[in-house]
């Protein structure tokens, strides 16, 4: 019998009749309260066999205690026209009885078997968990945080507004320059050369500011995209 013995442990006995006559059998034990035998008696036809289940009841196993439990299988030829099994055993003579004795052995699984069972159980749990959870997600790429993104967006908006303002000022100055040139042509006492220099100086400053603002926007937009 293999432990642990916290539940019923069953062992099967196979009884075979090699003779050409019917054989009666009976199974006895030295510890009838500890075992349940089914069937514990019966008849085996010639050339046939029967399976006897021996069920050990749960108990507290002590490895230091030697087992003294024994079984005995008694057999005898069945008389013709048998009707009463109890009468057969009572009337059977000692020289007509055949018996086989069996000694019970209790075994506990060794530590290696326990470790193998534990490892197999853990492996099965890991596989089930992996199937349920699915594949591991891939790591996300590194990106700017929300604060830096908001700052770049606000800076771009500010620079765009600055460009629009400088463009309006440039248009206003260009219109003002045209007006002054018209006044200079109509005013003969004025100096055309001086007016032309003044007009060119006025137009060059806003254009330079527009170029600088465009460079700043390109820089910040490139940083934001990267």
């Amino acid at each position: 019998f293999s432990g642990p013995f916290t539940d019923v442990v069953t062992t099967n006995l196979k009884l075979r009749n090699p003779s050409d006559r019917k054989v009666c059998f009976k199974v006895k034990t030295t510890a009838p309260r500890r075992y349940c035998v089914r069937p514990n008696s019966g008849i085996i036809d010639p050339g046939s066999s029967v399976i006897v289940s021996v069920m050990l009841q749960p108990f507290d196993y002590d490895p230091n205690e030697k087992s003294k439990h024994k079984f005995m299988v008694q057999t005898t030829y069945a008389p013709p026209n048998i009707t009463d099994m109890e009468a057969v055993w009572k009337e059977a003579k000692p020289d007509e009885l055949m018996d086989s004795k069996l000694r019970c052995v209790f075994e506990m699984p060794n530590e290696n078997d326990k470790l193998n069972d534990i490892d197999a159980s853990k492996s099965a749990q890991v596989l089930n968990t992996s199937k349920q959870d699915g594949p591991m997600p891939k790591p996300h790429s590194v990106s700017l945080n929300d604060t830096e993104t908001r700052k770049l967006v606000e800076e771009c908006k500010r620079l765009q507004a600055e460009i629009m303002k400088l463009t309006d000022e440039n248009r206003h100055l260009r219109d003002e320059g045209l007006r002054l040139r018209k006044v200079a042509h109509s005013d003969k006492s004025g100096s055309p050369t001086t007016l032309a220099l003044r007009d060119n100086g006025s137009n060059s400053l806003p254009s330079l500011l527009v170029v600088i603002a465009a460079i700043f926007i390109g820089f910040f937009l490139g940083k934001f995209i990267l």
Side-chain angles (χ1 to χ4, degrees):
F1 297 90
S2 298
F5 303 100
T6 56
D7 201 353
V8 176
V9 181
T10 302
T11 298
N12 293 327
L13 299 178
K14 184 177 182 181
L15 306 181
R16 184 175 180 274
N17 179 11
S19 68
D20 56 356
R21 297 175 56 183
K22 290 184 178 182
V23 173
C24 298
F25 74 91
K26 178 187 290 187
V27 181
K28 297 181 178 181
T29 178
T30 58
R33 295 183 179 180
R34 299 287 294 276
Y35 298 91
C36 181
V37 181
R38 294 290 184 275
N40 59 357
S41 62
I43 300 175
I44 307 175
D45 292 330
S48 299
S49 60
V50 65
I51 300 298
V52 178
S53 297
V54 181
M55 292 164 279
L56 173 63
Q57 304 303 308
F59 71 102
D60 294 330
Y61 175 69
D62 185 1
N64 297 322
E65 181 182 354
K66 294 183 179 181
S67 174
K68 297 180 181 180
H69 298 174
K70 295 179 181 179
F71 279 83
M72 183 175 66
V73 180
Q74 282 186 329
T75 59
T76 185
Y77 287 113
N81 301 323
I82 180 174
T83 57
D84 188 358
M85 287 290 296
E86 292 295 330
V88 170
W89 296 109
K90 289 180 180 180
E91 296 174 359
K93 298 177 181 181
D95 57 350
E96 296 177 348
L97 296 177
M98 295 167 284
D99 59 71
S100 297
K101 295 180 180 180
L102 303 172
R103 184 174 63 87
C104 296
V105 177
F106 301 143
E107 294 180 350
M108 289 291 289
N110 56 39
E111 294 298 327
N112 291 333
D113 294 338
K114 291 181 180 179
L115 292 176
N116 292 334
D117 293 340
I118 293 174
D119 293 339
S121 177
K122 288 183 179 179
S123 300
Q125 291 178 0
V126 170
L127 289 176
N128 293 333
T129 305
S130 299
K131 291 180 181 179
Q132 293 175 0
D133 295 342
M136 294 296 292
K138 296 181 178 180
H140 297 287
S141 58
V142 179
S143 59
L144 296 175
N145 56 39
D146 294 340
T147 303
E148 294 179 350
T149 302
R150 285 197 298 270
K151 289 183 179 179
L152 290 175
V153 172
E154 292 176 358
E155 186 67 19
C156 290
K157 290 182 180 180
R158 188 186 66 79
L159 291 175
Q160 288 177 353
E162 188 70 20
I163 287 179
M164 294 180 63
K165 179 180 179 182
L166 292 175
T167 302
D168 293 339
E169 291 181 358
N170 190 24
R171 186 182 301 108
H172 175 73
L173 291 174
R174 186 171 60 252
D175 294 341
E176 183 67 19
L178 292 174
R179 188 185 66 79
L180 291 176
R181 280 199 296 272
K182 290 180 181 180
V183 173
H185 285 296
S186 61
D187 188 3
K188 294 181 180 180
S189 62
S191 174
T193 303
T194 303
L195 292 175
L197 291 175
R198 186 183 306 168
D199 185 26
N200 291 335
S202 300
N203 290 334
S204 61
L205 179 59
S207 299
L208 180 61
L209 292 176
V210 170
V211 172
I212 293 174
I215 291 174
F216 273 111
I217 287 181
F219 171 75
F220 280 103
L221 287 177
K223 181 179 179 181
F224 177 69
I225 295 174
L226 292 177

